[in-house]
Amino acid sequence: MASLSVVKRVRDGQHWGREHHCCGEVTLGPTHLTGTSVSPHPLQVKGPRMSADISLSCPALAKILLHAARYPQTAVSGVVLAPARSGGGGDTGTPSTVTLVDAVPLFHLNLSLAPMLEVALTQIEQWYKTEGLVIAGYYQANENIKDNVPDFVALKVAEKIAENNNDACLIMIDNSRLCLDLVVAPVIVSQLTSEGKWKSKDRSSVHVEAGALDVVSQLLQRRVQHDVCDFDNHLDDLTCDWANPQINKLLTTLSAAAQD
């Protein structure tokens, strides 16, 4: 398989791992992710937690991977969106498939700045609320091509999201599998267990929309990743739209062509 022209690598000989993010910078306020303390202890889960299958739509997968491909030399992060569900998402009843319909790229400069994260999450929640969507998970690509383990920041942000959404997921990009001709989705999806620990899901319970891998491969081959805007870009230039409507339009065109 053809590889991306630039791969993720170690910055200045240092591993972008847990060592860089254990300073406790991420302390999310009560505005949207309830709870302000950062604790090393597992999240206390209220009631039995049911494990739902996860379905990745083409727009969600595309924006996650395009974001990672645009900044191969740094770690990147973002959130994924799903339709709002009654009861906080899977608190009771039989678990069903959670469909991640979209993704919003957040950062590539500094993933652990809580004030910027607060602002970004507030805007995202307000914007997509009218569409009946909620923040349903967090994604991250680490800087090292061989590192796909969630660090302090990823765990803390995902746990805060899980406090409001019992179906919340944590997605780590498998950098070594990110290429121009995708055969499998290069992601590792985790959900919280009843013990409050993140556990990666079997591939059989993570589904990718039909044709999505071909569409995303086409986007990567066309170098569309350079058109992706994240929240960092928006802060530098307000004309950069983190909702990425131009990507949405292209996805609609390519998906329609694939079905013909």
Side-chain angles (χ1 to χ4, degrees), residues 9 17 22 29 35 40-41 54 79 91 100 142 150 184 190 208 233 253 260:
R9 55 183 179 271
C22 292
H41 302 295
I54 300 295
V79 294
D91 286 331
L100 305 178
N142 291 334
V184 296
S190 302
V208 177
N233 300 134
T253 302
D260 292 339

Side-chain angles (χ1 to χ4, degrees), residues 140-219:
Q140 183 169 303
N142 291 334
E143 189 172 15
N144 191 324
I145 189 173
K146 297 181 180 179
D147 183 10
N148 54 32
V149 178
D151 61 11
F152 179 85
V153 173
L155 293 174
K156 291 300 112 180
V157 177
E159 284 179 3
K160 296 306 177 184
I161 293 174
E163 288 180 0
N164 288 342
N165 189 325
N166 210 38
D167 291 323
C169 63
L170 170 59
I171 301 174
M172 296 300 298
I173 289 85
D174 186 348
N175 298 317
S176 63
R177 292 176 177 264
L178 181 55
C179 62
L180 297 177
D181 296 298
L182 297 170
V183 178
V184 296
V187 294
I188 301 170
V189 182
S190 302
Q191 281 187 307
L192 279 172
T193 65
S194 57
E195 291 78 27
K197 297 181 180 180
W198 292 97
K199 181 180 179 180
S200 58
K201 300 180 70 65
D202 294 334
R203 286 200 172 272
S204 61
S205 60
V206 179
H207 314 285
V208 177
E209 181 181 347
L213 294 177
D214 289 337
V215 170
V216 178
S217 294
Q218 290 182 55
L219 295 176

